Amino acid sequence: MSARRGKPNLLGMTRRGLEEFFVSIGEKPFRASQVLKWIHQFGAADFGAMTNISKALRLRLHELAEIRAPGICAEQRSLDGTRKWLLKLDDGNRVEMVFIPEKERGTLCISSQVGCALDCTFCSTARQGFNRNLEAAEIIGQIWLANKALGRDPRGGRVVSNVVLMGMGEPLLNFDNVVAAMDLMMDDLAYGLSKRRVTISTAGVVPALKRLKRVSEASLAVSLHAPDDALRDELVPLNKKYPIALLLDACREYIAGESKRVVTFEYVMLKDINDSADQARKLARLLGNVPSKVNLIPFNPFPGGRYECSSRDTIGCFASILQERGIVTITRRTRGSDIDAACGQLVGQVRDRTRRNAIVIKEAC
Ligand code: SAH
């Protein structure tokens, strides 16, 4: 966003980035900590509010920089308490984010790209085509906005306790901006979320996953959806480039050396496609040597989609087969479907949807 508007946007800068910014304007690096707290802990959008900074510096910052989040253009509330916001970006594109309240936590599901360059056949975001990566400020800006909209919980804590990068887009194809935003999520001076509470979900961009291991500690979710390459090639075409064996190797590497960590494998339940008892057994064998947990996601239909959701009984049987084989399996409760806020239903508005071919996967890795 900064480049687009000319002034640097401090909202998307990590602590290190802000330190560099302050040094570049002849100020002490410790200013970064002060400004970071103002922006992310107190939600300041205006340098004038930063009362522990001299008036002269506040005025300078006002001239030199900005704090800009996306705008909110619409909000919907589900009967189950789920809230969905449509966000307006500077260039007219729109992305969505969703807040899912639960008893013990509040999860914000955020987007990382405008549309998606992958073409998973069961996902409505895929229909949108791809326009561009979100900037770091547009990614962290979603949390900044949600915290403002949701206020504090009755004990004074933050309502957003968990963040999942499971909205629109493939986060590992927007590597640098996503990593910068996750850095802020986990920085004590910003949102201070633990690594267990920040989850990045990927369809399996293997080289980027290897790189991620070196720069982030976020929890990992992988959209698997099939127990063999033939079916996964169809459902998640990225599999043709990075087949299951390579993907599972990268998953093992990602959590290597940390005894308590697991990878969450997401598996969308598609009637008569990937939901048989045989496929469950195959999946259990496949995951046998990856410390893992499985999240079964009832398929959420969308207009023009070609699949149906598996029945409750079928999902129950599938889950039992995995559980009998020692795999922790959770069936995700569908939330917010009355406002199209459930998994795979986020669409936003993508201007110029034709850029799918323009994203070079190798470049992003
Ligand atoms: N690109 C990333 C994150 C976005 S999708 C990824 O692939 O993981 C977030 C999750 O929702 C993924 O597991 C995805 O497979 C799932 N999903 C997509 N469409 C869905 C649908 N129609 N019903 C249920 N889950 C869906």
Side-chain angles (χ1 to χ4, degrees):
M1 214 188 288
S2 42
R4 213 162 272 133
R5 297 262 311 191
K7 279 187 185 182
N9 185 358
L10 306 197
L11 181 63
M13 288 189 190
T14 59
R15 195 190 301 202
R16 166 104 63 95
L18 268 180
E19 282 171 358
E20 284 166 6
F21 166 75
F22 278 107
V23 170
S24 78
I25 62 166
E27 294 287 335
K28 293 273 191 299
F30 79 87
R31 295 288 179 205
S33 305
Q34 291 177 313
V35 169
L36 210 58
K37 276 186 167 174
W38 277 111
I39 296 177
H40 299 287
Q41 294 189 355
F42 304 117
D46 178 1
F47 298 110
M50 303 182 180
T51 45
N52 57 352
I53 293 175
S54 73
K55 203 156 179 204
L57 179 54
R58 279 186 262 161
L59 280 173
R60 240 188 122 205
L61 287 174
H62 182 72
E63 268 164 32
L64 290 175
E66 62 180 357
I67 303 165
R68 276 171 54 79
I72 292 182
C73 46
E75 186 195 335
Q76 284 174 283
R77 290 186 194 208
S78 159
L79 290 171
D80 69 15
T82 300
R83 292 165 73 163
K84 180 171 87 168
W85 291 272
L86 180 66
L87 306 178
K88 184 169 84 184
L89 310 177
D90 280 353
D91 56 5
N93 279 302
R94 309 270 193 270
V95 294
E96 293 185 319
M97 67 171 179
V98 176
F99 177 70
I100 306 142
E102 286 170 290
K103 237 197 206 139
E104 299 299 330
R105 61 184 174 191
T107 303
L108 188 70
C109 175
I110 62 173
S111 294
S112 57
Q113 296 183 311
V114 180
C116 189
L118 305 182
D119 202 8
C120 302
T121 51
F122 51 84
C123 179
S124 65
T125 306
R127 303 281 177 96
Q128 296 257 288
F130 173 77
N131 183 268
R132 69 172 174 86
N133 284 331
L134 293 188
E135 296 186 12
E138 294 167 328
I139 301 172
I140 202 68
Q142 296 172 61
I143 301 170
W144 189 86
L145 284 171
N147 274 317
K148 269 187 191 295
L150 296 164
R152 297 256 159 187
D153 70 20
R155 282 166 295 182
R158 277 195 164 132
V159 179
V160 177
S161 64
N162 292 57
V163 178
V164 292
L165 281 130
M166 288 185 192
M168 296 169 66
E170 167 49 50
L172 286 183
L173 290 179
N174 183 12
F175 194 89
D176 292 340
N177 293 330
V178 161
V179 166
M182 292 198 303
D183 215 65
L184 284 166
M185 291 173 212
M186 293 189 254
D187 190 322
D188 285 340
L189 296 183
Y191 299 93
L193 299 176
S194 75
K195 60 188 180 187
R196 284 181 304 111
R197 293 179 181 274
V198 175
T199 302
I200 182 166
S201 176
T202 178
V205 189
V206 167
L209 195 49
K210 290 176 186 240
R211 209 177 134 202
L212 186 69
K213 161 107 179 136
R214 299 197 288 271
V215 293
S216 178
E217 296 208 286
S219 298
L220 178 65
V222 170
S223 293
L224 193 59
H225 307 313
D228 58 66
D229 282 323
L231 180 58
R232 195 164 190 269
D233 281 353
E234 251 178 61
L235 301 178
V236 183
L238 183 68
N239 195 67
K240 293 180 198 145
K241 201 167 170 102
Y242 306 117
I244 293 176
L246 283 185
L247 176 56
L248 295 186
D249 278 348
C251 289
R252 267 188 294 269
E253 255 174 55
Y254 189 77
I255 53 171
E258 292 181 73
S259 58
K260 288 200 182 124
R261 289 199 103 182
V262 299
V263 176
T264 300
F265 289 96
E266 296 160 281
Y267 196 100
V268 64
M269 296 301 292
L270 304 169
K271 184 178 176 194
D272 297 334
I273 303 283
N274 66 354
D275 62 353
S276 72
D278 248 5
Q279 285 163 317
R281 286 188 283 270
K282 220 165 167 184
L283 180 62
R285 278 199 297 278
L286 199 62
L287 300 183
N289 59 356
V290 190
S292 51
K293 181 171 109 182
V294 171
N295 231 319
L296 300 179
I297 315 175
F299 169 66
N300 294 305
F302 50 87
R306 62 173 114 146
Y307 300 108
E308 281 177 66
C309 182
S310 312
S311 69
R312 273 175 83 146
D313 283 354
T314 308
I315 298 177
C317 282
F318 200 94
S320 312
I321 293 172
L322 297 176
Q323 278 155 350
E324 279 158 17
R325 285 157 179 76
I327 297 174
V328 174
T329 305
I330 291 159
T331 302
R332 195 178 284 172
R333 214 154 47 95
T334 299
R335 299 288 302 267
S337 53
D338 54 336
I339 55 165
D340 285 342
C343 300
Q345 292 187 320
L346 301 189
V347 287
Q349 274 174 32
V350 181
R351 292 182 123 199
D352 183 0
R353 313 159 163 228
T354 56
R355 303 208 181 153
R356 176 167 283 154
N357 296 331
I359 189 159
V360 183
I361 289 178
K362 247 191 346 223
E363 213 174 67
C365 309

